[in-house]
Amino acid sequence: MTEIIKEEATVNENGLNFVEQEIVNDLAAGKNGGRLNTRFPPEPNGYLHIGHAKAFIMDFGAAEKFGGTCNLRFDDTNPQKEDTEYVEAIKEDIHWLGFDWGDRLYYASDYFPQLFDLAVRLIKEGKAYVDEQSSEEIARQKGTPTRPGENSPFRDRPVEENLDLFYRMNKGEFEEGSMVLRAKIDMASDNMHFRDPIMYRIIKTPHWRTGDQWKVYPMYDFAHGQSDYFEGVTHSICTLEFVPHRPLYEYFVKELADESYCPRQIEFNRLNLTYTVMSKRKLLQLVKEGLVNGWDDPRMPTLRGLRRRGYTPSSIKEFVKKIGYTKYEALNHIELLEHSVREDLNKTATRVSVIQNPVKLILTNYPEGQTEMMTMDNNPENLEEGQHEMPFTRELWIEREDFMENPPKKFFRMSPDKEVRLKGAYIIKCTGVKKDENGEIEEIYATYDPETRSGLPGADRKVKGTLHWVSAPTAVEAEIRDYDRLFAVENPSAEEGDFRDLLNPDSLKVRTNAKIEPWLAERIKAGDNYQFVRLGYYVVDPDSTPEKPVFNKTIGLKDTWAKEMKK
Ligand code: ATP
Ligand code: MG
């Protein structure tokens, strides 16, 4: 579990991962009449995260690739935890990644009548019984993998009594927790899931779709395979923790299926990412306790968090392709995800000038009141993206970190008496500074060389450093939210103790006086990605107003992953 894999997971000689190969084999063998139907089965009890994306990219992706269909099925079998708020959000997030279920939207609750009928049939056939023991007692009797379980004293109840009790359970005559319906299989089975698993429990909370029609609700193992069957699903792809459930899946499905059609379950490894948690329960806790600013907090691994952070659908798909689908658990480096978004945005993001930690630069020999328009490439990686103009004036903003009064040897930015180039403009030479009473630099003075304007022959003169800048009189003030890892440790799920104690206390830094060039200020639209030259990739946050644009930092320019791979 803690092993971190660096290599890209391999596909086979046909360019297929092992799940796809299984599908291709089944289709070639003519199984299920040559039909392919997958499904994505989220439980509407939270927002989708990037692990879910890995799952539904497989479900929808395989259907697309091999001419099948993919159902979206809400696994709404527990009214205590589920909500329609989540249903809408889940649909939106799947659409965001570019997938669509067409008219194949289903709910497990649609099958409550058929599932109930099947349970009644199994009772009549002596394959299920009502157990009146407490859940603690049932758990105690379950045994261990090396020690067989014990039979419940209610195991051999007569069929008529079981039927009567099951109907009355569903009428609401008994309290929650007072009885369950169990499959009568084998308390000594090597597979713990076969030791008389619970099929139904009593829940009195009304269901958001079926109201108070039902007082008994099916457990996952009794609902899932049958729902697949009722829908015509052929390949039920899920994660590795369901491997031990597979025999039970097959056991129940056999009660319905025949040779002409039978769904099968295939399992792949979950996505786990360093410096984050993927459990819905833990993510919900972070939201509820205000430890993050909601499900769409840009530090969250949720799809809406990633979207607000500036991740693109294609970067997420590319990442999932890189990590692949395997049969062994792994922990993936978050740097690989960052690498994917960086690669994507490098191709597409418009370059703009922004100063995040401004200090004033005054060009003492530049005419007061003069403005020249300097031409900037929108994307040097793709010149078809065109150019835009940026005003150049006597007073400019530059980054405070780009100036040092007493620089070390290899400092090629600005320092007294040294020349640097202002990107796309002139070569300048620093002549002095003004400090406030605390010794903090308030203004930097320099002279510019008119012969060195970009495009003129004098611009060829060699200087070591190039700085970005923004014209002071036309700059617009903006807020920049800078994010770091949500957790301070690499694998929070592997640590003892409370996971909340492992949160990184410095995961959000806000700068409120960044200066952005006017061309950018004119086109602020939430969700738009930019590269701030020399700083990184940023996205416009929905909190932006025309007066105060707000940006989230997606990721810096430096690729730590590429470095990691070279080691
Ligand atoms: P829980 O069941 O604990 O509420 P869950 O994350 O498994 O949480 P589901 O709504 O049941 O939530 O998940 C829907 C599908 O997404 C399942 O098929 C599940 O296997 C898959 N899935 C969930 N987490 C991951 C993950 N980290 N990586 C890959 N697939 C995942
Ligand atoms: Mg689940």
Side-chain angles (χ1 to χ4, degrees):
M1 184 58 199
T2 47
E3 191 210 346
I4 293 180
I5 46 169
K6 275 190 188 174
E7 304 78 18
E8 297 184 6
T10 48
V11 287
N12 66 15
E13 61 281 6
N14 304 324
L16 302 175
N17 63 53
F18 81 98
V19 181
E20 294 172 329
Q21 187 62 57
E22 290 288 330
I23 291 173
V24 166
N25 295 349
D26 287 350
L27 292 176
K31 282 194 190 162
N32 305 308
R35 242 173 9 92
L36 169 63
N37 193 164
T38 57
R39 90 287 168 264
F40 176 60
E43 185 177 357
N45 63 353
Y47 286 71
L48 297 182
H49 54 56
I50 187 166
H52 296 116
K54 174 175 175 176
F56 72 72
I57 287 172
M58 164 60 81
D59 300 326
F60 286 100
E64 256 171 35
K65 196 162 173 179
F66 304 113
T69 47
C70 179
N71 303 353
L72 172 60
R73 182 202 314 143
F74 286 102
D75 181 19
D76 56 347
T77 50
N78 183 355
Q80 288 163 331
K81 286 198 264 166
E82 295 156 9
D83 204 313
T84 143
E85 166 201 349
Y86 299 126
V87 171
E88 294 314 312
I90 288 170
K91 289 188 197 165
E92 208 180 282
D93 288 346
I94 298 172
H95 275 152
W96 179 61
L97 273 192
F99 296 106
D100 188 41
W101 49 91
D103 56 1
R104 291 173 305 280
L105 173 63
Y106 303 101
Y107 297 86
S109 54
D110 290 341
Y111 312 124
F112 286 167
Q114 287 115 297
L115 289 167
F116 191 86
D117 289 349
L118 177 61
V120 166
R121 196 185 101 198
L122 294 179
I123 295 173
K124 286 183 179 162
E125 293 173 1
K127 294 175 184 164
Y129 63 96
V130 171
D131 196 336
E132 284 174 55
Q133 301 181 100
S134 65
S135 54
E136 294 77 25
E137 191 55 22
I138 292 175
R140 195 191 60 75
Q141 287 169 354
K142 191 122 199 189
T144 66
T146 52
R147 184 170 52 80
E150 298 160 39
N151 285 353
S152 158
F154 298 98
R155 200 170 195 263
D156 294 317
R157 219 194 255 285
V159 167
E160 285 314 313
E161 211 177 296
N162 281 321
L163 267 184
D164 176 58
L165 286 173
F166 187 51
Y167 282 120
R168 286 166 59 202
M169 276 167 71
N170 194 39
K171 284 201 189 114
E173 289 187 23
F174 307 114
E175 290 314 303
E176 287 186 12
S178 64
M179 348 183 138
V180 290
L181 183 71
R182 295 177 75 180
K184 192 172 177 176
I185 309 181
D186 179 6
M187 288 305 290
S189 173
D190 290 341
N191 185 328
M192 297 289 286
H193 297 280
F194 267 52
R195 296 186 183 177
D196 291 9
I198 295 172
M199 293 162 59
Y200 270 94
R201 62 201 152 149
I202 300 170
I203 297 177
K204 295 203 168 166
T205 310
H207 188 284
W208 64 281
R209 289 190 81 234
T210 59
D212 55 9
Q213 195 184 343
W214 303 93
K215 300 287 188 295
V216 291
Y217 287 87
M219 302 296 289
Y220 177 88
D221 283 321
F222 187 65
H224 202 80
Q226 284 84 295
S227 301
D228 285 342
Y229 178 83
F230 299 137
E231 261 165 40
V233 167
T234 57
H235 294 79
S236 186
I237 307 164
C238 60
T239 36
L240 286 173
E241 71 272 21
F242 291 103
V243 168
H245 295 249
R246 194 196 319 141
L248 190 55
Y249 178 101
E250 290 167 354
Y251 173 91
F252 284 130
V253 155
K254 261 199 210 105
E255 294 289 340
L256 300 164
D258 60 24
E259 275 94 77
S260 68
Y261 160 55
C262 183
R264 69 174 284 203
Q265 179 183 304
I266 306 175
E267 314 83 8
F268 63 82
N269 65 326
R270 292 178 83 85
L271 167 59
N272 298 295
L273 269 184
T274 54
Y275 298 101
T276 189
V277 295
M278 217 64 94
S279 144
K280 272 200 267 190
R281 183 181 56 78
K282 288 180 183 167
L283 295 176
L284 179 68
Q285 210 173 344
L286 293 179
V287 173
K288 287 236 158 107
E289 294 174 12
L291 297 167
V292 294
N293 303 317
W295 285 101
D296 65 347
D297 186 300
R299 291 165 292 186
M300 291 278 272
T302 51
L303 293 178
R304 13 203 76 199
L306 289 166
R307 173 160 44 157
R308 193 162 181 180
R309 179 77 174 260
Y311 277 76
T312 55
S314 51
S315 65
I316 292 173
K317 287 188 202 166
E318 191 50 39
F319 168 69
V320 166
K321 197 161 141 193
K322 283 192 175 112
I323 57 171
Y325 296 82
T326 72
K327 292 189 208 186
Y328 47 90
E329 294 291 1
L331 177 64
N332 292 104
H333 279 290
I334 197 161
E335 287 88 347
L336 182 57
L337 175 63
E338 295 169 346
H339 169 79
S340 303
V341 74
R342 193 182 283 113
E343 252 185 353
D344 190 39
L345 293 178
N346 182 40
K347 284 180 258 157
T348 57
T350 300
R351 274 57 171 173
V352 290
S353 295
V354 172
I355 302 298
Q356 62 173 353
N357 186 18
V359 63
K360 184 72 72 69
L361 169 68
I362 299 174
L363 303 176
T364 49
N365 63 339
Y366 194 84
E368 253 175 276
Q370 175 173 307
T371 302
E372 286 174 273
M373 296 310 281
M374 303 301 184
T375 304
M376 301 290 174
D377 286 334
N378 288 339
N379 186 349
E381 299 281 319
N382 179 7
L383 293 177
E384 281 172 20
E385 298 275 314
Q387 297 171 320
H388 71 271
E389 304 226 296
M390 201 163 97
F392 185 85
T393 50
R394 184 173 196 264
E395 296 200 0
L396 305 168
W397 295 112
I398 62 166
E399 299 288 353
R400 199 166 273 281
E401 291 80 11
D402 280 342
F403 178 83
M404 271 183 106
E405 225 177 344
N406 300 300
K409 237 190 161 145
K410 292 227 158 133
F411 187 82
F412 298 126
R413 289 169 274 167
M414 201 187 304
S415 50
D417 301 321
K418 288 271 165 58
E419 283 197 323
V420 287
R421 184 187 305 280
L422 293 178
K423 189 177 157 49
Y426 296 100
I427 291 174
I428 63 164
K429 185 179 196 172
C430 175
T431 54
V433 297
K434 178 175 144 199
K435 294 182 186 172
D436 66 12
E437 62 275 18
N438 303 320
E440 176 119 12
I441 293 172
E442 267 184 330
E443 289 175 348
I444 301 168
Y445 304 107
T447 52
Y448 85 113
D449 180 347
E451 303 298 308
T452 59
R453 182 175 162 157
S454 272
L456 296 182
D460 290 343
R461 197 159 90 219
K462 280 259 176 307
V463 286
K464 283 240 162 92
T466 300
L467 308 185
H468 67 288
W469 52 273
V470 166
S471 151
T474 56
V476 172
E477 200 160 77
E479 176 173 319
I480 294 183
R481 299 175 185 166
D482 211 331
Y483 300 96
D484 198 354
R485 313 265 187 254
L486 183 53
F487 285 89
V489 299
E490 191 168 58
N491 189 5
S493 305
E495 305 279 331
E496 309 262 306
D498 192 329
F499 79 105
R500 292 167 298 183
D501 298 338
L502 307 169
L503 283 165
N504 174 4
D506 299 318
S507 58
L508 171 60
K509 283 197 194 79
V510 180
R511 296 176 193 266
T512 53
N513 67 335
K515 310 290 182 187
I516 72 175
E517 60 166 301
W519 186 79
L520 171 58
E522 281 160 21
R523 41 183 50 65
I524 290 299
K525 193 165 129 267
D528 281 356
N529 299 97
Y530 289 96
Q531 186 196 99
F532 292 180
V533 291
R534 295 182 65 224
L535 298 180
Y537 295 99
Y538 294 76
V539 64
V540 180
D541 190 83
D543 286 347
S544 291
T545 62
E547 295 72 39
K548 187 96 184 197
V550 178
F551 295 91
N552 295 314
K553 182 168 187 175
T554 308
I555 191 68
L557 294 175
K558 216 163 84 207
D559 195 340
T560 49
W561 177 256
K563 214 172 72 200
E564 184 76 17
M565 293 299 285
K566 281 197 205 105
K567 273 186 197 164

